[in-house]
Amino acid sequence: MDDLIFQAIKKRRSIREFTDQAVSLDDLKLIVEAGIWAPSGKNNQPWRFVLITDDGVREEIGKLTLYSHILAGCRALIAVYIDSEAMYDPVKDYMSVGAAIQNMLLTTESIGMGAVWLGQILKNKKQVSAVLGVEERYNLMAVLAIGYPVHRKQKSHRKDLSDFIIKKFGG
Ligand SMILES: Cc1cc2nc3c(=O)[nH]c(=O)nc-3n(C[C@H](O)[C@H](O)[C@H](O)COP(=O)(O)O)c2cc1C
């Protein structure tokens, strides 16, 4: 079995400490490119993105989360939105955006960078959109903080596989 993808999935960690090395808009575009190749219901591609490498904008966004220290240390942000006008079914559309985000996190690692998916900031999603000048038809789903990791010693854990399997049929 070619287990490269499986290993990449297991090795991915949330990165919260970053070096000073700059991240370019081209780097962010590559990460977004991975996102848009996620599956979506009816292939409706409801995801939208704001790319941020500007320090001043990042600083303003940083004031809107408990994780401001992460935003202060990272080099770039991607704000991930869903377009309400592209949606056809909330559950399916939100899941599609989640799939896009996972593609983006894995691709970020594959190009030597690291990222963390920030959800707490959604508490202030209206203010985030105001800072970014994003219209109300777009709903903020997540902010990804991106940069080059200081180290890769992050640990994480998962419960045992058997904790998640409710039933089994077959041998
Ligand atoms: C929906 C969602 C919201 C999250 N929000 C935050 C957050 O606001 N701040 C943070 O530091 N990490 C956040 N994380 C990262 C999780 O804490 C992390 O994925 C989890 O602890 C497992 O660690 P791992 O990503 O290294 O496997 C979030 C992850 C998800 C999927």
Side-chain angles (χ1 to χ4, degrees):
M1 171 178 143
D2 180 353
D3 65 355
L4 284 176
I5 292 177
F6 184 58
Q7 290 306 325
I9 288 168
K10 285 188 80 170
K11 270 174 51 194
R12 181 210 56 80
R13 290 283 68 80
S14 292
I15 302 298
R16 299 180 175 87
E17 293 170 277
F18 304 93
T19 70
D20 289 341
Q21 190 174 343
V23 172
S24 69
L25 281 177
D26 280 344
D27 295 327
L28 298 187
K29 282 189 202 159
L30 181 71
I31 293 166
V32 167
E33 175 92 19
I36 70 172
W37 278 96
S40 59
K42 298 186 178 180
N43 199 16
N44 69 339
Q45 305 164 58
W47 39 67
R48 303 289 184 268
F49 307 94
V50 177
L51 313 184
I52 302 154
T53 57
D54 181 271
D55 293 346
V57 175
R58 177 162 53 84
E59 196 178 321
E60 286 305 304
I61 302 291
K63 293 175 186 164
L64 300 171
T65 171
L66 295 177
Y67 295 96
S68 51
H69 59 286
I70 297 178
L71 273 75
C74 75
R75 305 307 304 162
L77 301 174
I78 299 179
V80 182
Y81 281 88
I82 195 162
D83 183 351
S84 60
E85 293 183 14
M87 292 174 70
Y88 80 105
D89 178 287
V91 171
K92 296 174 197 176
D93 292 324
Y94 294 138
M95 291 179 79
S96 300
V97 175
I101 293 172
Q102 174 71 344
N103 276 7
M104 293 163 75
L105 294 176
L106 289 169
T107 298
T108 301
E109 294 230 344
S110 79
I111 57 175
M113 296 191 228
V116 61
W117 174 333
L118 297 173
Q120 190 279 331
I121 197 168
L122 297 185
K123 214 173 169 188
N124 292 321
K125 62 183 180 179
K126 284 203 160 72
Q127 293 95 311
V128 173
S129 293
V131 168
L132 299 177
V134 170
E135 300 164 44
E136 265 190 31
R137 70 180 259 198
Y138 303 105
N139 191 6
L140 186 66
M141 298 283 101
V143 172
L144 307 187
I146 298 169
Y148 287 85
V150 170
H151 63 82
R152 291 194 180 272
K153 293 182 218 142
Q154 295 79 12
K155 296 262 182 268
S156 193
H157 73 282
R158 296 296 183 268
K159 294 178 205 167
D160 196 81
L161 185 63
S162 61
D163 292 340
F164 301 108
I165 298 173
I166 301 168
K167 283 190 183 188
K168 287 185 273 197
F169 298 93

